[in-house]
Amino acid sequence: MAQSDNKRFFENLTGAGKAIAVLTSGGDAQGMNAAVRAVVRMGIYVGAKVYFVHEGYQGMVDGGDNIKEATWENVSSMLQVGGTVIGSARCKDFRTHEGRLKAAHNLIQRGITNLCVIGGDGSLTGANLFREEWSGLLAELVQQGLIDEDAAQKYSALHIVGMVGSIDNDFCGTDMTIGTDSALHRIIEVVDAIMTTAQSHQRTFVLEVMGRHCGYLALVSALACGADWVLIPEMPPEDGWEEKMCQKLSAKRAGMKRLNIIIVAEGAIDRKNQPITSEHVKNLVVSRLGFDTRVTILGHVQRGGTPSAFDRILASRMGVEAVLALLETTANTPACVVSLCGNQSVRLPLMECVQMTQEVQKAMDGKRFEEAVQLRGRSFENNLKTYKLLAHRKPESELPHSNFNVAVLNVGAPAAGMNAAVRSAVRVGISEGHKMFAVNDGFEGFYKGQIKEIKWADVGGWTGQGGSLLGTKRTLPAKHIDKIAEQMRKYNINALLVIGGFEALECLLQLNEARAKYEEFCIPLCMLPATISNNVPGTDLSIGADTALNAIVETCDRIKQSASGTKRRVFIIETMGGYCGYLATVGGLAAGADAAYIFEEPFDIRDLQANVEHLTEKMKTSIQRGLVLRNENSNENYTTDFIYQLYTEEGKGVFDCRKNVLGHMQQGGAPSPFDRNFGTKISAKAMQWITKKLNESYRRGRVFANTEDSACLLGMRRRAMVFQPVVQLKDETDFVHRIPKEQWWLKLRPLMKILAKYKTSYDVSDSGQLEHVVVNRPKASETSVTI
């Protein structure tokens, strides 16, 4: 969309004269404050009045000081705060007609006819009922003489947009709800800590996590930590599960594994719909195996703490989208909920989502468990399939025997989540009947013959390990192609899985070119993007980028906190990423930065001066701290030192400056739950694609594959995981600067600027349109490659 058209469209969405109220209801969830902040700032930005409703629906019923107009400064310094600062409560009064009548009167008195509700399905259902009753409530208020006919006419329609804030991720229609990722962070932090003490004593730990009606937290945390057993309400274990579980735990201990982890959702049930408690599981293990077994019930720890980078970004995007939805709504527009599908914000009819959520419980009550899993959505179903693939090894006699040898290696800089991807590849490959080979130190190790078979047990405990346990180097294969071909012949390698960053793409392109001379490379070749820079073409997200973002955001939080109570201060932070500005931009959005300098958006001294003046104006009000991020290669002349010195000089008398270069701390640490899960699922899908290609290309006793579609990158594109021939990606790539020519996250930059109070034109050309809820039921022929 051209900028002039963009501005014109945006002006049509002006909120002048409109009043928006935002409330959080039901339980709290980390990230709710980021959503409130985005609604307030986007609403003010477009000229609307925005009101806080304190204490949820109770505050709306009680009125008075519970409904207050919000200012820009009111939502400063709340991005990193867990829970909800405007309060949340369950309200019996709002469930009554009289309570809703009081709430309607309180809103009309302030001219509010736009509601943004952040809560679970109960809160959103209540909001929809309120909307449906609105005209009748106004008629009653007129009859009672509390409002006049003009007011009833002027405020005749109530518009509602919902955002789901729930750590359980139990709402159908969205891949993730606000708070879920942060809750997974809390769970995985505990699991990682427990694993160290459990190994010291050869213990079994039973962890109970939240999820009264939904097993998402239990399932994904089990996937992310490689738990031995998981119990969830949507898929109860088969009868006789107790014996099978104990056999598996015993076999693991006999295989010299020093600990066992069992994860139980608080709502776990058996096939008779009877509860399975963590205490019952503990007693089973103790009585049948005699293992030293402890129970840890995480409880409200999962709700607490700082929101993750993912939740801050998700909530900020949803909050802005909610305001746009309210501005576009008409009297006939149904209440909608802003959801996440893949990497896209979408709007779905609220009641369709609520009804589907209720259908899940009906299916579980009716013991239609497979239907319940399907109704939970594609993300949940794929997580369950992947866990089953990786956690439960079939006996050798039941495994297919393929006679194919598949090698896996890491290339480029280390990225958190690489080990989870390797573990997944090895175990899925073995399940498919292949012999798996691990290559140490990338293609450098390949040509040196550092290749060995890797077994199921060899990758136990790898999911939580940072860096690359296989070792990784930036060496490209072209210089050593003869020796690599020789090693391919020696080990009879029939397929190759390369996990890495931009260098991995270059490696696959070189191997693809070498096919003309060496038949050894006429085999299925697949690449998984794994780099903190997120600079690989063909994918929106790379393994490792989420962990790096969390490192940046946690550091920014601490840096900003260090200035608490001191004089006004601006921090200049340098991030990694090469020429790719992803970390600086998205990290800036998650940390509440005032500016982010990147290579993709050229800037000059006038832009720097404007940013200094903007910060100076903010500092003269109540804002105490400023945050500026700079991508390491954003400009060769305007270095971090230069920007620091410029801000220091120009800010004299108003603020002082500090700088910090984050460096390799962004590459280190344990992988985030997202990276563990993403690496695991994407790798499983890659191995199933490799199996399919091996079977298709096996002719006359050997594998021969030299078509474009046999050398692919597997990446996330908007809403789907897509295999793309690497040859076709060449046209999408800037090889000089090692970045894609087009990058989706650049559309987040105006959003970051708006939330930092810059006047800018927000590109709404990609904003969500109202869609209907779709339940994905893959065809039988597709299920084998759907992960």
Side-chain angles (χ1 to χ4, degrees):
M1 184 182 287
Q3 193 164 357
S4 58
D5 294 336
N6 179 32
K7 284 183 177 176
R8 196 179 307 122
F9 183 38
F10 190 74
E11 283 161 8
N12 291 338
L13 293 177
T14 179
K18 291 199 174 188
I20 299 171
V22 58
L23 69 143
T24 53
S25 178
D28 65 306
Q30 309 97 316
M32 278 184 165
N33 288 325
V36 170
R37 171 180 178 268
V39 170
V40 169
R41 292 197 165 178
M42 188 64 182
I44 293 172
Y45 184 85
V46 297
K49 280 189 173 183
V50 186
Y51 290 84
F52 290 137
V53 179
H54 291 275
E55 311 307 329
Y57 286 120
Q58 191 66 55
M60 195 187 295
V61 172
D62 294 342
D65 287 341
N66 288 303
I67 306 175
K68 284 184 177 178
E69 187 174 352
T71 66
W72 193 277
E73 287 72 27
N74 286 154
V75 293
S76 296
S77 302
M78 64 190 283
L79 252 180
Q80 66 270 28
V81 179
T84 165
V85 297
I86 60 174
S88 181
R90 303 192 188 279
C91 178
K92 290 181 180 178
D93 292 340
F94 192 74
R95 294 178 184 176
T96 66
H97 183 78
E98 293 75 17
R100 293 192 291 275
L101 190 67
K102 286 181 184 176
H105 185 217
N106 289 328
L107 294 184
I108 291 295
Q109 284 180 314
R110 295 162 178 81
I112 299 169
T113 56
N114 297 280
L115 272 186
C116 184
V117 181
I118 309 166
D121 60 337
S123 303
L124 300 179
T125 303
N128 191 63
L129 175 63
F130 192 38
R131 172 184 167 273
E132 289 173 347
E133 290 183 347
W134 185 256
S135 57
L137 295 172
L138 294 195
E140 281 188 58
L141 291 172
V142 170
Q143 191 179 357
Q144 293 177 17
L146 294 172
I147 63 171
D148 57 30
E149 288 283 359
D150 289 342
Q153 192 69 31
K154 185 177 180 182
Y155 306 119
S156 59
L158 179 68
H159 306 297
I160 287 173
V161 172
M163 285 182 276
V164 189
S166 165
I167 68 164
D168 291 341
N169 202 29
D170 57 354
F171 192 80
C172 291
T174 185
D175 288 348
M176 287 287 270
T177 56
I178 296 168
T180 303
D181 187 70
S182 300
L184 285 170
H185 273 259
R186 300 296 92 79
I187 294 168
I188 294 304
E189 284 164 11
V190 171
V191 171
D192 286 351
I194 278 175
M195 287 174 90
T196 56
T197 181
Q199 283 182 326
S200 303
H201 301 277
Q202 290 198 38
R203 280 183 179 150
T204 296
F205 268 89
V206 181
L207 264 77
E208 183 181 302
V209 302
M210 282 185 165
R212 197 174 303 130
H213 304 293
C214 179
Y216 185 89
L217 288 178
L219 177 58
V220 175
S221 55
L223 199 56
C225 73
D228 298 296
W229 203 267
V230 64
L231 295 158
I232 59 172
E234 291 88 349
M235 189 54 71
E238 300 288 345
D239 291 343
W241 63 272
E242 298 94 338
E243 186 62 35
K244 287 181 182 177
M245 182 185 75
C246 289
Q247 284 175 359
K248 182 176 181 184
L249 298 180
S250 183
K252 284 286 181 75
R253 197 61 68 88
M256 303 306 290
K257 186 176 179 183
R258 297 181 62 82
L259 80 154
N260 303 111
I261 298 286
I262 303 166
I263 296 183
V264 184
E266 62 178 333
I269 53 174
D270 62 20
R271 291 270 157 176
K272 299 180 182 66
N273 278 353
Q274 295 302 305
I276 300 175
T277 65
S278 51
E279 197 63 33
H280 173 63
V281 174
K282 175 198 167 183
N283 293 336
L284 265 174
V285 176
V286 171
S287 62
R288 298 196 182 193
L289 299 176
F291 289 174
D292 184 3
T293 306
R294 306 296 167 93
V295 172
T296 300
I297 299 174
L298 269 63
H300 282 72
V301 165
Q302 296 156 88
R303 285 192 191 277
T306 300
S308 66
F310 183 96
D311 272 329
R312 299 185 200 193
I313 296 157
L314 173 68
S316 297
R317 290 177 71 183
M318 282 186 168
V320 169
E321 186 67 34
V323 172
L324 294 175
L326 285 171
L327 297 182
E328 290 177 353
T329 194
T330 66
N332 299 320
T333 306
C336 77
V337 61
V338 180
S339 299
L340 181 76
C341 183
N343 197 30
Q344 295 294 114
S345 292
V346 297
R347 303 175 196 170
L348 299 171
L350 172 58
M351 291 316 294
E352 283 187 28
C353 296
V354 169
Q355 285 159 12
M356 190 178 289
T357 303
Q358 292 167 349
E359 286 297 318
V360 177
Q361 192 59 48
K362 288 178 185 175
M364 286 160 58
D365 292 341
K367 300 181 182 179
R368 302 188 308 276
F369 298 114
E370 289 190 8
E371 183 183 338
V373 169
Q374 285 186 327
L375 287 168
R376 277 281 180 233
R378 180 182 58 185
S379 176
F380 188 95
E381 195 173 4
N382 293 343
N383 281 319
L384 184 56
K385 284 180 183 176
T386 309
Y387 178 78
K388 286 179 177 179
L389 266 176
L390 300 175
H392 303 293
R393 186 183 183 184
K394 292 180 181 177
E396 293 286 341
S397 57
E398 293 181 27
L399 288 174
H401 189 61
S402 69
N403 287 321
F404 293 129
N405 295 342
V406 182
V408 58
L409 69 159
N410 296 333
V411 174
M418 275 182 164
N419 297 320
V422 172
R423 169 185 177 269
S424 178
V426 168
R427 292 197 168 179
V428 174
I430 291 170
S431 297
E432 299 281 342
H434 310 319
K435 187 180 281 189
M436 298 299 297
F437 288 85
V439 183
N440 294 109
D441 296 336
F443 280 102
E444 186 172 312
F446 209 129
Y447 84 80
K448 291 178 179 177
Q450 296 174 11
I451 304 166
K452 63 178 181 180
E453 187 179 353
I454 187 165
K455 301 289 185 70
W456 184 282
D458 295 337
V459 292
W462 278 34
T463 49
Q465 299 289 319
S468 166
L469 292 173
L470 288 185
T472 180
K473 294 283 178 71
R474 296 180 186 272
T475 306
L476 300 181
K479 289 181 181 177
H480 310 284
I481 205 75
D482 289 338
K483 291 181 180 177
I484 292 170
E486 185 183 318
Q487 296 295 339
M488 298 279 283
R489 283 193 302 275
K490 180 179 176 181
Y491 289 93
N492 189 29
I493 302 298
N494 306 119
L496 204 58
L497 179 66
V498 183
I499 304 167
F502 199 89
E503 292 91 351
L505 175 65
E506 293 177 307
C507 290
L508 236 64
L509 286 168
Q510 290 181 3
L511 294 180
N512 188 60
E513 286 177 17
R515 283 173 165 180
K517 187 176 177 183
Y518 300 92
E519 285 194 0
E520 288 81 3
F521 302 116
C522 294
I523 59 173
L525 304 170
C526 188
M527 173 201 163
L528 302 181
T531 166
I532 69 164
S533 303
N534 200 31
N535 64 329
V536 179
T539 187
D540 291 349
L541 296 172
S542 300
I543 299 165
D546 183 73
T547 305
L549 278 177
N550 278 290
I552 291 167
V553 168
E554 287 167 16
T555 306
C556 288
D557 285 351
R558 291 181 183 183
I559 286 170
K560 287 199 292 184
Q561 191 178 44
S562 73
S564 179
T566 65
K567 57 186 177 181
R568 295 179 175 90
R569 184 164 286 168
V570 174
F571 296 93
I572 316 294
I573 312 291
E574 182 184 297
T575 65
M576 293 176 81
Y579 286 97
C580 181
Y582 175 81
L583 291 178
T585 295
V586 183
L589 178 61
D594 296 279
Y597 301 117
I598 63 170
F599 170 78
E600 292 90 343
E601 193 174 283
F603 58 96
D604 57 25
I605 195 68
R606 290 181 293 275
D607 297 309
L608 293 170
Q609 185 63 36
N611 292 151
V612 172
E613 290 171 0
H614 179 79
L615 266 170
T616 302
E617 285 302 310
K618 285 176 71 173
M619 291 289 182
K620 287 177 180 175
T621 60
S622 59
I623 306 296
Q624 296 292 317
R625 289 157 288 177
L627 183 66
V628 175
L629 270 62
R630 177 188 175 273
N631 168 240
E632 59 184 348
N633 289 345
S634 56
N635 189 293
E636 63 179 337
N637 294 314
Y638 300 132
T639 63
T640 302
D641 281 335
F642 178 90
I643 293 172
Y644 162 69
Q645 289 166 5
L646 176 72
Y647 272 72
T648 300
E649 182 63 30
E650 297 297 319
K652 275 184 180 175
V654 181
F655 60 81
D656 65 2
C657 274
R658 295 289 185 273
K659 67 173 178 176
N660 195 305
V661 178
L662 301 184
H664 281 76
M665 64 163 289
Q666 296 158 85
Q667 279 184 345
S672 68
F674 181 92
D675 277 330
R676 298 183 196 199
N677 186 257
F678 184 50
T680 298
K681 288 201 291 187
I682 196 173
S683 189
K685 182 163 187 175
M687 283 306 303
Q688 293 190 322
W689 176 87
I690 283 174
T691 299
K692 182 169 173 277
K693 288 293 179 186
L694 283 168
N695 291 327
E696 288 174 357
S697 59
Y698 186 70
R699 297 288 181 274
R700 299 192 181 104
R702 68 176 188 138
V703 173
F704 186 84
N706 66 348
T707 54
E708 280 189 1
D709 67 351
S710 63
C712 285
L713 176 147
L714 174 56
M716 176 184 273
R717 278 281 172 95
R718 296 168 72 88
R719 302 187 188 189
M721 300 298 297
V722 184
F723 289 95
Q724 298 146 100
V726 290
V727 174
Q728 294 177 14
L729 292 174
K730 287 169 78 173
D731 292 337
E732 299 180 25
T733 308
D734 174 354
F735 283 96
V736 175
H737 298 103
R738 301 161 65 83
I739 56 174
K741 289 179 181 175
E742 290 188 13
Q743 306 192 79
W744 69 272
W745 51 266
L746 287 170
K747 290 187 176 178
L748 298 180
R749 287 187 63 77
L751 189 155
M752 184 191 74
K753 291 175 183 176
I754 286 168
L755 298 179
K757 211 174 184 179
Y758 284 92
K759 289 294 177 188
T760 187
S761 181
Y762 182 54
D763 181 3
V764 292
S765 60
D766 215 25
S767 72
Q769 302 301 313
L770 196 63
E771 302 176 8
H772 290 285
V773 183
V774 177
V775 181
N776 292 298
R777 288 190 170 87
K779 296 173 186 172
S781 60
E782 294 174 343
T783 50
S784 63
V785 292
T786 305
I787 289 293

